[in-house]
Amino acid sequence: CCENRPLAWVGLDDHLRPEAHEVIESAREAGLNLELLTGDSSRQGPELAARLGIESVFNGMRPEEKMRRVRALQNGGGVVSIVGDGLNDAPVLAVADASFAVAGATDLARTEADFVIVDGDLHQVLHTWRKARQCRRIIRQNLCWALFYNLCAIPAAAMGVVAPWVAALGMSASSLLVVLNSLRLNRAPRP
């Protein structure tokens, strides 16, 4: 200012990542509940949330308030994943069940996060979530198969219905089947 009149105006605005709309929509379609927790007390948080279609917005939050919110969701049975990049996000990244820091995040945020999105593409959050669900599904399949096989084959071998060498071959085949089923995790994801 000079003599009570402005010489220049500076305007700051948060820009959305190009993939943000698509990632948010995919997460919503997958049945995830979305919230925006921000330390910014300006109108930017609610405006960004409105542009992204996120209904639940908490702005002006201090790090300990973010942690309380995450713990409340967890105590209510929720599994919480956080994406953050700031210094004030580090404590909540450590508390979340799964946390992501983007490439440009502060060193502390990257240290506290479970995952660092190196290329900055938020699609990686959804890819990781889908891979985790696939992994859990395959683990369940493998456990069910192993339980079924052992409940059938071990008593049959113990009663002499099956020769010991057949049971040993069956056990090896069962283990091979579990490993082959697990290798499906290495397949490229479906688009």
Side-chain angles (χ1 to χ4, degrees):
C1 290
C2 179
E3 298 178 14
N4 295 329
R5 62 185 174 92
L7 295 175
W9 291 98
V10 177
L12 302 176
D13 191 17
D14 287 329
H15 295 284
L16 291 175
R17 292 177 179 268
E19 72 276 9
H21 286 288
E22 184 181 345
V23 169
I24 294 294
E25 189 57 36
S26 295
R28 188 177 292 110
E29 287 173 3
L32 301 178
N33 296 322
L34 304 171
E35 292 186 359
L36 177 62
L37 310 178
T38 179
D40 189 352
S41 58
S42 73
R43 64 189 200 302
Q44 283 297 316
E47 285 179 7
L48 284 175
R51 285 171 36 201
L52 290 169
I54 299 174
E55 296 175 9
S56 183
V57 183
F58 298 87
N59 63 331
M61 296 185 85
R62 295 187 315 273
E64 59 272 10
E65 292 171 323
K66 290 180 182 181
M67 289 172 48
R68 271 197 297 274
R69 178 64 185 154
V70 167
R71 286 191 178 121
L73 291 169
Q74 290 169 329
N75 291 338
V79 177
V80 180
S81 180
I82 296 281
V83 178
D85 64 354
L87 188 62
N88 65 348
D89 291 327
V92 76
L93 288 169
V95 170
D97 296 299
S99 56
F100 298 83
V102 291
T106 63
D107 290 339
L108 187 57
R110 286 194 313 259
T111 301
E112 293 298 330
D114 297 316
F115 303 94
V116 176
I117 305 170
V118 178
D119 62 0
D121 184 3
L122 295 178
H123 286 103
Q124 296 304 317
V125 174
L126 293 176
H127 174 71
T128 303
W129 179 74
R130 287 182 186 120
K131 189 58 82 171
R133 288 189 65 175
Q134 182 187 16
C135 185
R136 186 174 52 196
R137 189 170 46 251
I138 287 177
I139 288 171
R140 284 184 182 150
Q141 291 170 357
N142 288 345
L143 287 173
C144 287
W145 168 252
L147 181 64
F148 170 77
Y149 176 81
N150 287 324
L151 286 175
C152 295
I154 291 176
M159 291 186 296
V161 176
V162 176
W165 67 270
V166 173
L169 272 175
M171 184 62 81
S172 296
S174 173
S175 296
L176 183 62
L177 181 68
V178 165
V179 169
L180 290 174
N181 191 37
S182 298
L183 287 175
R184 292 182 0 198
L185 289 169
N186 290 333
R187 279 197 234 159
R190 284 180 251 151

